[in-house]
Amino acid sequence: MAIIKWDPWKDIEGLFDRYTKTSGWPQTRGQDLIATGDWAPRVDISETPEIFLIKVEIPEVKKEDVKVTVDNGIMMIRGERKKETEEKDKKFHRIERHYGSFTRSFTLPDNIDPAGITASFKDGMLNVEIRKTEEKKTDAIHIDID
């Protein structure tokens, strides 16, 4: 039987990750968020030989309230889900959905074509397709030390 070293910090981090996952907070996994918002929509990122595909789940957000930008190899997706206006005779018993602004940022790899990025929005899903280019291969070089 192998002896496994116990790391109490890993247990605490796992507990915190489970808590933030159920609360809808963004998962950072030890990384700093480039930008923050009131909430963070869920995303799926997939890859084929030709493209990267980012699917962002943003129900009840209007297309006009979403902006996608690319600057210095960072893609930013920003938007806002507006809160329903209160009606005089309507009483809420529970509100679990998040409202307000959101920001998600992604570092893009070197083998993409920024001009080949397209986005579509339908039924509360934002789909961003990022076309790949041929990977730039760099030859190893020898550096003389003085």
Side-chain angles (χ1 to χ4, degrees):
M1 176 154 119
I3 297 176
I4 299 172
K5 185 177 177 183
W6 177 58
D7 182 5
W9 294 112
K10 186 174 181 179
D11 288 346
I12 292 170
E13 187 175 88
L15 177 67
F16 186 73
D17 284 347
R18 287 193 304 274
Y19 173 76
T20 57
K21 184 177 182 181
T22 59
S23 67
W25 291 356
Q27 301 278 313
T28 60
R29 301 256 185 245
Q31 301 171 357
D32 292 331
L33 290 174
I34 290 177
T36 60
D38 296 331
W39 63 286
R42 307 280 188 203
V43 300
D44 291 337
I45 301 174
S46 59
E47 177 182 4
T48 67
E50 297 83 27
I51 65 166
F52 292 100
L53 176 62
I54 300 176
K55 289 185 167 190
V56 186
E57 188 176 63
I58 45 178
E60 294 189 10
V61 175
K62 295 179 182 175
K63 182 171 119 175
E64 301 81 39
D65 294 333
V66 178
K67 301 224 181 323
V68 179
T69 59
V70 175
D71 188 26
N72 290 327
I74 306 286
M75 174 183 289
M76 300 286 285
I77 301 173
R78 293 185 173 120
E80 182 177 5
R81 180 185 296 151
K82 296 185 172 136
K83 197 168 188 173
E84 295 179 21
T85 57
E86 289 192 29
E87 298 175 19
K88 199 173 204 177
D89 296 331
K90 191 180 220 179
K91 180 168 63 169
F92 288 97
H93 294 278
R94 180 179 292 198
I95 298 175
E96 293 183 351
R97 295 181 298 149
H98 297 278
Y99 295 95
S101 64
F102 65 85
T103 302
R104 293 296 306 259
S105 59
F106 305 95
T107 303
L108 299 175
D110 293 333
N111 66 329
I112 61 111
D113 178 16
I117 298 175
T118 59
S120 62
F121 188 84
K122 183 179 179 188
D123 298 330
M125 288 296 293
L126 174 68
N127 294 312
V128 181
E129 288 189 2
I130 305 166
R131 293 253 169 247
K132 291 182 178 181
T133 60
E134 289 187 28
E135 289 193 42
K136 299 173 186 167
K137 294 184 180 180
T138 57
D139 294 329
I141 57 172
H142 177 74
I143 308 295
D144 291 325
I145 301 173
D146 292 330

